[in-house]
Amino acid sequence: MCGIVGYIGSKEAAEILLDGLRRLEYRGYDSSGLAILDASSTLHVSKAVGRLSELEAKLEAGPLHGTRGIGHTRWATHGEPSERNAHPHMDESGSLAVVHNGIIENYQELKAELQQQDCTFQSDTDTEVLPHLIAREQAQGASTLLEAVRKALSKARGAYALGVISKDDPDTIYAARLGSPLVIGVGEGEYFIASDVPAVVSRIQKVIYLKDGEVAALTPDGVKVYTLAGDEVPVTLSDVTIRAEDAEKAGFETFMLKEIHEQPRILRNLLRKHTLDGRVNLAIDGLSNDYFRKLNRVMIISCGTAYHAGMYGKLLMEHVCNIAVEVDLASEFRYRDPKVDPGTLIIPVSQSGETADTLASIRMARAWGCKVLSICNVQDSSLVRDSDAVLYTEAGPEIGVASTKAYTAQLMAFVLLTLAMGRARNEITPEVETELLEDLAQIPDAIHYVIDRKDDINQIAEKHHDGPSSLYLGRKFNYPTALEGALKNKEISYQHAEGYAAGEMKHGPIALINEYLPVICICTRTRDEVYEKMISNMKEVEARHGRLIAVATDGDTAVKAFAEDIMYVPAIRDEFSPMVNVVALQLLAYYAAQARGTDIDKPRNLAKSVTVE
Ligand code: G6P
């Protein structure tokens, strides 16, 4: 969590840093701050508690001028949100400042040592040990600031992406990373550091992906990269693969609404890229057909929304590939005793590729000899670098904190992977594969159909948004959809919502049903008995006077007979219906949140990437 940004060049740094922080605010937004070096090499710091707008107001009243600077937007871990705990943090003399994303795990030990040497701390954060450690290294004879930074970092355990600025070395800013994301943007005569590419995409031509354990020195003339031991390493310039407009709202009132609308295009592109002449054409570098044939087990690991995608992946793979598939929350997997062996394929699913529990889980699995095939959205993320193979979801930057387009892209990735695996294992014939792909091709238009009816969904949300709670029910492929719909609602509207397997309703949630409780039932028409079972569940809700809202197939008159409100979706093959049904629930949550007046793109207490345990 937390976002960091840095600038060195010839322009005023403050506005550039604020713009970067605005784009990183999804990573944390309880306080923010800047440190800027002015023309006479004096370091000025400004911090504010609350949203970035508080810092902007402060800087308007007291502008900071200078062409070098670093900035931070915080999601509190160590120390409450307060100005004292906001970054940048400084050494005792006020000559150097540090912004940090990550956690210094041995900070208490380091802090105690520094305090024994009479060092005074201003904050409760783990980060503050870093400026003091760097200053100590300088005092103890480090010949350059680079050496002091390297030596200080060699003492720190944990994870960091950081930016350092000092009046002792005014023509350089330093950046370093270990386990937390950090990129260096290369512009014309100006250089940037940022937690992700979208923060600076409109200003850069190339990007340098700093590796774990590297320290970079950025000057107006270029970038040099070193190991923690001090050896210079060659710099690799990579192309910027996202477009500047991907990081803008493009006329939508929120990123979330924009991202909901992007789903048909993203899924269509994924399909185009990975299919050819009615067959899946998915080359997964690093894993052969022979590997998939011999595989005896799959273990899917993820968190949050990505976990719901994993639940869907399990159902689909078991259905098509005749293989045992388990799915687990990364935060559980890493502390239990899972029975995995080299015959198990590990599939982590992650939008960011930086979720701490997911990363820890796959490192364990790799140590046990398993291969790792990631489903991930972010290029060069930590997850990607730790995987044997990657299937990119190619959804573009997802900026709304509540995940939407990354989720449906994860579902589509699972479909493509399942078909490729099914074929490698001789579980599906070419005819069936072609038929499935024909049905799959209808998904983008079906999502459009749902989005085109957003005004109807808005009306339903307006009617039901004000209760304290709601219940979401689904079965089989749409059980994960129910969980995801409830999660969306909780995340952005702050209304308690519970997702449940509809068949389990009689084992508890039925006690909650009364004339006030909205019960959202995913009851699209299916070829198997699940539809009939859902109808029975809905009748049970109706009999207890619950307020029934259905996601139903267009033209379904049976549901109309007893649901109070219906969100219609087109007829879609059961296996693929979650990609469409969930869009209705994303919109329902969206409009409920709007009616409740919440900050939809930045819901309270949440952060987009959970990079700490
Ligand atoms: C946070 C985000 C969710 C996301 C989850 C997992 O909770 O708010 O939207 O699903 O982390 O993140 P990942 O980046 O691993 O998909």
Side-chain angles (χ1 to χ4, degrees), residues 47-96:
K47 305 181 188 187
V49 178
R51 299 286 161 102
L52 193 63
S53 49
E54 303 294 327
L55 181 65
E56 285 167 340
K58 214 166 175 179
L59 287 166
E60 219 160 274
L64 300 184
H65 295 289
T67 55
R68 289 109 173 82
I70 54 176
H72 188 270
T73 178
R74 179 168 188 250
W75 189 92
T77 53
H78 293 67
E80 55 162 20
S82 65
E83 215 166 285
R84 214 162 57 79
N85 289 330
H87 298 215
H89 289 288
M90 304 184 84
D91 70 325
E92 283 176 295
S93 69
S95 19
L96 77 94

Side-chain angles (χ1 to χ4, degrees), residues 303-306 349-355 358 401-403 410 488 491 606-610:
C303 301
T305 286
V349 189
S350 175
Q351 189 286 126
S352 63
E354 302 294 345
T355 301
T358 308
V401 165
S403 185
Q410 285 159 357
K488 285 297 85 102
E491 283 180 309
L606 295 177
K608 181 106 190 117
S609 323
V610 180

Side-chain angles (χ1 to χ4, degrees), residues 95-341:
S95 19
L96 77 94
V98 173
V99 287
H100 168 222
N101 165 217
I103 289 193
I104 304 302
E105 282 163 7
N106 59 337
Y107 84 100
Q108 275 169 319
E109 208 176 289
L110 294 169
K111 188 170 178 173
E113 268 173 42
L114 286 159
Q115 281 170 329
Q116 266 170 18
Q117 297 162 29
D118 293 328
C119 179
T120 310
F121 279 73
Q122 305 296 332
S123 76
D124 307 318
T125 65
D126 54 321
T127 302
E128 200 189 336
V129 296
L130 295 174
H132 295 309
L133 279 178
I134 297 170
R136 289 290 140 129
E137 293 296 341
Q138 285 182 294
Q140 284 163 13
S143 57
T144 59
L145 184 56
L146 173 66
E147 186 185 334
V149 170
R150 287 193 294 100
K151 286 190 166 159
L153 289 179
S154 307
K155 295 186 170 139
R157 267 201 329 270
Y160 53 77
L162 51 96
V164 182
I165 191 164
S166 167
K167 64 180 190 162
D168 298 335
D169 191 355
D171 286 327
T172 314
I173 60 172
Y174 292 92
R177 75 165 288 187
L178 185 74
S180 296
L182 188 76
V183 297
I184 295 173
V186 177
E188 268 172 34
E190 53 186 9
Y191 297 87
F192 305 80
I193 62 173
S195 297
D196 66 21
V197 178
V200 289
V201 64
S202 60
R203 303 175 189 277
I204 63 174
Q205 279 89 48
K206 292 277 180 186
V207 61
I208 299 167
Y209 292 104
L210 210 59
K211 296 194 183 69
D212 276 346
E214 288 182 345
V215 183
L218 288 71
T219 69
D221 302 320
V223 179
K224 288 189 172 178
V225 178
Y226 305 87
T227 62
L228 276 190
D231 301 318
E232 192 172 341
V233 291
V235 170
T236 310
L237 292 178
S238 302
D239 289 334
V240 179
T241 52
I242 60 164
R243 303 166 306 168
E245 58 265 36
D246 290 342
E248 305 292 340
K249 283 188 203 155
F252 286 94
E253 60 209 48
T254 59
F255 279 109
M256 182 173 173
L257 196 58
K258 177 195 171 209
E259 288 158 5
I260 289 174
H261 279 76
E262 285 179 288
Q263 294 176 108
R265 176 181 55 80
I266 291 162
L267 299 196
R268 196 171 284 124
N269 288 347
L270 266 180
L271 266 173
R272 258 193 218 130
K273 178 164 182 185
H274 295 300
T275 57
L276 187 69
D277 299 334
R279 309 291 301 271
V280 172
N281 183 30
L282 192 67
I284 298 177
D285 288 344
L287 299 180
S288 64
N289 278 347
D290 193 47
Y291 171 79
F292 283 124
R293 221 177 345 266
K294 291 183 179 146
L295 204 59
N296 55 37
R297 197 150 159 264
V298 173
M299 178 83 224
I300 302 169
I301 305 171
S302 42
C303 301
T305 286
Y307 173 66
H308 299 151
M311 290 176 73
Y312 170 75
K314 167 192 160 71
L315 290 164
L316 197 70
M317 275 183 185
E318 286 180 341
H319 181 61
V320 174
C321 301
N322 188 22
I323 189 165
V325 184
E326 228 189 301
V327 56
D328 203 359
L329 293 162
S331 53
E332 288 297 314
F333 177 85
R334 64 183 290 196
Y335 293 112
R336 65 181 175 94
D337 301 303
K339 301 293 165 265
V340 296
D341 58 33

Side-chain angles (χ1 to χ4, degrees), residues 434-503:
T434 303
E435 185 194 316
L436 288 169
L437 284 181
E438 276 166 13
D439 290 346
L440 204 53
Q442 296 169 12
I443 299 295
D445 284 344
I447 295 177
H448 257 306
Y449 176 101
V450 176
I451 293 173
D452 284 348
R453 278 151 190 79
K454 62 178 185 273
D455 291 345
D456 300 344
I457 299 178
N458 190 358
Q459 277 179 15
I460 298 172
E462 292 247 338
K463 191 167 149 197
H464 296 280
H465 75 267
D466 55 357
S469 185
S470 56
L471 182 62
Y472 287 68
L473 301 176
R475 277 176 182 257
K476 201 172 170 181
F477 292 114
N478 281 298
Y479 167 39
T481 315
L483 297 184
E484 177 59 12
L487 179 64
K488 285 297 85 102
N489 195 18
K490 273 186 275 222
E491 283 180 309
I492 59 171
S493 82
Y494 313 153
Q495 181 193 52
H496 172 258
E498 190 159 352
Y500 235 81

